[in-house]
Amino acid sequence: MTHTPVGAESLAIQGIVHNALLEDLAQGDVTTDSLPQLARLQKQALFRVRQDCVVSGLTVAGLVCQMVDSALVFTPMLQDGAVAHAGTVIAQVQGPMASILKAERTALNFLQLLSGVATETRRFVEAVSGTNTRITHTRKTTPGLRLLEQQAVLHGGGVPHRFNLGSCVMLKDNHLQALGDISPNEAIAVAVKTLRAKISHTTKIEVEADTLGQVQQAVEAGADIILLDNMSPDTIREALSLIQNRAIVEASGGISLETIRAYAETGVDVISTSKITLGVPAIDVGLDLA
């Protein structure tokens, strides 16, 4: 499972922040710009969480402030991934009041969203504590924000999955169904053989299996990773007995915070879930003048 290179990450994050600021400031700030006395004020403001959470987005919030006005000095009080209790000041910003006002909402939006992802991820990670199962995300992320949401998952204690369609081969049910001229019993074997001949030796192949029959086919085809999709814990145990440690095993589909422990106790290596990125409640973060 690969990840975007660090240099590319930095450029991509700058692009994300640029677009977010463009969304808010394309026509300027008619309120702040119409109050010229604000430009002469130098102020300090505090980013404060209103509820317990795992913090994520501090680096991004700092970049927001820098891109709005290089005269703004953003100072984090914690690191991304730290636990913060309600009332904790997680960062402060100093500089022209007009610039603070222009940066405020965009910085808060990132902090609220990403801290929500990190906090929910931590709940899932803690739910499987004591097992060898790791928690990861899926590609069900906010369009344009996957890089930041993936980082937030890491801040919450999860691990990265494939970042995009080019990161890892993922042979899914629709791929197999589209190979209509091949027998269902041969589709996985033929597809994996074809893929092996085309891809780099450094690229892993993951096969999604909906049935125990597909699990057996994936094992025989030499899949590196087998995704057990929408299987019960009992069925997963049967699948593991077929796989016998010959592939990394990932479980996904219909797994909630309430049921994840039972899935982890089957012995799967990874559980992937969209519940740590899709529709996660935002954390309440505010900006208060010091």
Side-chain angles (χ1 to χ4, degrees):
M1 296 181 183
T2 59
H3 195 218
T4 310
V6 173
E9 279 188 0
S10 178
L11 291 173
I13 292 172
Q14 289 180 46
I16 292 169
V17 171
H18 175 270
N19 288 336
L21 289 172
L22 185 63
E23 183 176 63
D24 228 18
L25 292 170
Q27 296 174 283
D29 179 349
V30 65
T31 308
T32 302
D33 293 341
S34 299
L35 295 169
Q37 58 268 44
L38 291 177
R40 298 190 294 271
L41 290 177
Q42 297 289 315
K43 289 286 186 178
Q44 180 186 73
L46 308 175
F47 291 91
R48 192 189 310 270
V49 296
R50 315 292 195 203
Q51 63 188 101
D52 295 352
C53 67
V54 177
V55 177
S56 182
L58 287 169
T59 301
V60 185
L63 184 57
V64 168
C65 293
Q66 180 185 8
M67 291 180 72
V68 166
D69 186 345
S70 60
L72 289 178
V73 178
F74 180 90
T75 306
M77 301 290 106
L78 299 173
Q79 291 184 335
D80 285 325
V83 174
H85 298 291
T88 299
V89 173
I90 60 174
Q92 66 179 30
V93 59
Q94 288 181 288
M97 186 64 208
S99 298
I100 292 175
L101 290 168
K102 292 177 182 181
E104 175 182 3
R105 177 42 53 195
T106 301
L108 286 173
N109 283 348
F110 282 123
L111 285 168
Q112 291 173 327
L113 170 66
L114 300 177
S115 294
V117 171
T119 301
E120 193 67 10
T121 301
R122 184 66 57 87
R123 292 191 182 106
F124 275 78
V125 169
E126 289 177 347
V128 302
S129 175
T131 72
N132 293 321
T133 301
R134 300 188 293 172
I135 304 300
T136 189
H137 55 87
T138 69
R139 282 172 46 248
K140 296 178 182 178
T141 53
T142 307
L145 298 182
R146 180 177 298 158
L147 174 57
L148 299 182
E149 291 182 345
Q150 184 185 68
Q151 289 181 344
V153 167
L154 270 62
H155 294 151
V159 297
H161 205 301
R162 62 173 181 160
F163 181 72
N164 55 32
L165 291 172
S167 302
C168 170
V169 169
M170 174 77 82
L171 189 61
K172 297 175 69 69
D173 54 354
N174 283 342
H175 292 108
L176 297 173
Q177 290 176 21
L179 300 173
D181 57 338
I182 300 175
S183 163
N185 293 330
E186 299 176 345
I188 290 177
V190 170
V192 170
K193 182 178 180 181
T194 303
L195 288 163
R196 288 282 185 212
K198 296 285 186 180
I199 63 175
S200 165
H201 67 285
T202 64
T203 303
K204 291 184 178 181
I205 296 178
E206 180 164 9
V207 174
E208 179 183 270
D210 300 324
T211 66
L212 292 175
Q214 289 181 331
V215 170
Q216 185 64 50
Q217 292 172 46
V219 171
E220 293 173 356
D224 302 298
I225 309 162
I226 300 176
L227 170 61
L228 307 178
D229 190 40
N230 285 297
M231 293 187 182
S232 69
D234 286 341
T235 304
I236 286 176
R237 288 187 178 91
E238 292 184 62
L240 288 169
S241 68
L242 292 174
I243 298 169
Q244 294 183 347
N245 297 317
R246 287 176 284 179
I248 295 170
V249 181
E250 175 183 342
S252 192
I255 302 173
S256 67
L257 189 60
E258 292 71 31
T259 62
I260 196 167
R261 183 80 191 185
Y263 282 89
E265 288 177 346
T266 64
V268 293
D269 300 296
V270 181
I271 293 175
S272 57
T273 175
S274 62
K275 295 185 184 300
I276 58 177
T277 55
L278 200 63
V280 170
I283 296 298
D284 189 359
V285 186
L287 185 69
D288 305 320
L289 293 183

